[in-house]
Each structure stands twice: as structure tokens, then as C-alpha cells.
Amino acid sequence: MITTWTSSISSESKSLLTCSKFHFEEKVLEKLVRLEHKMELFEEKMKTMESSMSKKLKRMDEIEKETETLTETMLDKQLQIETRINDSYQEIINNFKTQSNNETTLYGEKMDSLFDSLSLKSQTLSEAEKERERKIVSMQRDSHEEHKRFQRDAGEKRNSCFLSFRPSSQALSSKEIVIFDGIWTNVGKGYEPITVIFKAPQPGLYHFTAVVMPSSGSTLSLYLHHNELQITRS
């Protein structure tokens, strides 16, 4: 009984071993097929990647060439623009210098003409001022002579007389009274310097003389009134 059982076990073990070996080989073959398929897929992917990389590299080369061309074009345009700007700037500078020289010459001529005109006007004003001073001296001399004559006549005839003056100039408006508030002679006290009115102490013939000079460039008209009645004008 023991021998038979052993033989049976040995036969079954061989069958199992044979089956396992076949199954292993089948599995190995299957894995090899799968691996080969994966390798083929990998090779296709690599080819696709190489093709894509080649296209990308080619495109990058094209882009690089286009960039270089664009850079050269931009540099040329920049150089042209800088050249035009420099030419325009130089032209503006030259025009400005020419215009400045012309304006300087013109202003110089105008200034010379203005100085000549001012010199002529100054000379004219100086001559007018000298003439005015001569007239003032003449007026003062005539006034002194009139004063002496009035004093002499007053001493001889004992009549009323006065000689008045203004110590300073007076700004006048229309119909304003000229104030002679300075007194040289006032025989008989007939002249009132505050009101500028002469009151005749007795009836008779009276002589009045007035010397008034306006400022330069002005006109002046004087009126003499007798009892508020205009009797003469200058």
C-alpha cells in the first residue's frame, strides 16, 4: 500500500511540473510580446518627437533668421531716423543762429535810432528848459522893475498899488482861480492875497498886468473879472 501511494504522488508531481513550465513560458512569451509592442510604440513616439523637434528646430532657425533680419531693418531705420534728426537739429540751429544774427542787427539798428531820437529829444528839452529859465529870469527882472516903478509911482502920487506872485507852481482845472499869495508890494492894502481880490479904494483908472507861464506842452488861458464880469482874456 505504501509503495503504490508513492508512485501515484510522483506521477502527479511530474504532471504539475510540466504544466507550470508551459504556463511560465507562455507568460514569458506574452511579456516579451508586450515588451516588444511597447518598444515599437516607444520607437514611434521617439520618431514623432524627433520629427516634432526637427520641425521646431527648423522653425526656431527661421525665427532666428527673421529676428536677425528684423533687427537689421530696425537698426537701419533707427540710423536713418537719427540721421534725419541730426540733420533737422543742425538745420534748426543754423536757422536760429541766422535769425538771431538778423534780429541782433535789427535790434542794434533800432537801438541806435532810438538813442539818436532820445539824444535829439534830450537836446530839444534842454534847449526848451534853457529858454524857460531865460523867460523866468526875464519875468523876474520885469517884475522887479515893475515893483520899483509901482513903489516910485506910489511914493509920488500916493495911489493904491500892489505886486504879488506865486512862490510855487499851481495845478489848475477849468475856471479855477490863480492864487497869487506872495506879496512884494501892497500900497493902500487894496489887494487881499487870500481871496485874490483887489478892492479899489477910490474910483479911477487902474492898470493890471499878469505874467503866467504854463508847463511844457500845456496851453493856458487867463480871464480878468471886474465885479464878476469878464473884461479881458489872454
Side-chain angles (χ1 to χ4, degrees), residues 46-76:
M46 288 299 294
K47 289 180 180 180
T48 304
M49 289 178 64
E50 288 178 357
S51 176
S52 176
M53 289 295 294
S54 177
K55 290 180 180 179
K56 289 182 179 179
L57 289 173
K58 185 178 180 181
R59 180 56 183 163
M60 288 179 66
D61 291 337
E62 293 176 354
I63 292 174
E64 184 178 0
K65 290 181 181 180
E66 291 176 357
T67 304
E68 291 178 355
T69 303
L70 180 61
T71 303
E72 291 177 357
T73 303
M74 291 180 66
L75 289 175
D76 291 338

Side-chain angles (χ1 to χ4, degrees), residues 38-180:
K38 288 182 179 181
M39 289 297 293
E40 290 177 355
L41 293 176
F42 180 74
E43 287 179 358
E44 290 179 358
K45 287 183 179 180
M46 288 299 294
K47 289 180 180 180
T48 304
M49 289 178 64
E50 288 178 357
S51 176
S52 176
M53 289 295 294
S54 177
K55 290 180 180 179
K56 289 182 179 179
L57 289 173
K58 185 178 180 181
R59 180 56 183 163
M60 288 179 66
D61 291 337
E62 293 176 354
I63 292 174
E64 184 178 0
K65 290 181 181 180
E66 291 176 357
T67 304
E68 291 178 355
T69 303
L70 180 61
T71 303
E72 291 177 357
T73 303
M74 291 180 66
L75 289 175
D76 291 338
K77 288 185 178 180
Q78 182 179 0
L79 182 60
Q80 293 175 2
I81 292 173
E82 289 178 354
T83 302
R84 287 199 299 269
I85 290 175
N86 290 333
D87 294 340
S88 300
Y89 177 76
Q90 189 64 37
E91 184 179 359
I92 291 172
I93 293 297
N94 293 334
N95 292 335
F96 178 75
K97 288 181 178 179
T98 303
Q99 185 177 1
S100 297
N101 293 332
N102 294 336
E103 290 180 354
T104 301
T105 303
L106 180 61
Y107 289 153
E109 293 176 354
K110 288 184 177 180
M111 290 299 293
D112 292 339
S113 176
L114 180 61
F115 285 147
D116 293 340
S117 177
L118 289 175
S119 178
L120 180 60
K121 288 182 179 180
S122 177
Q123 184 177 358
T124 303
L125 289 174
S126 178
E127 293 176 355
E129 186 67 21
K130 290 180 180 179
E131 181 65 22
R132 181 172 178 272
E133 290 178 356
R134 285 195 296 269
K135 288 182 178 180
I136 291 175
V137 172
S138 177
M139 288 170 57
Q140 290 177 346
R141 184 175 59 252
D142 293 342
S143 296
H144 282 294
E145 292 178 357
E146 190 75 12
H147 171 64
K148 292 179 180 179
R149 186 174 64 82
F150 282 167
Q151 285 183 336
R152 185 176 61 254
D153 292 343
E156 293 176 357
K157 299 180 181 180
R158 302 296 181 183
N159 291 332
S160 177
C161 66
F162 72 94
L163 181 60
S164 63
F165 66 95
R166 274 199 61 82
S168 61
S169 61
Q170 178 181 352
L172 297 174
S173 59
S174 179
K175 297 182 180 180
E176 186 174 354
I177 298 175
V178 181
I179 305 297
F180 296 96

Side-chain angles (χ1 to χ4, degrees), residues 20-32:
S20 297
K21 183 179 180 181
F22 177 77
H23 182 70
F24 175 75
E25 291 176 354
E26 184 180 5
K27 291 294 184 180
V28 170
L29 182 60
E30 183 180 355
K31 287 183 178 181
L32 288 173

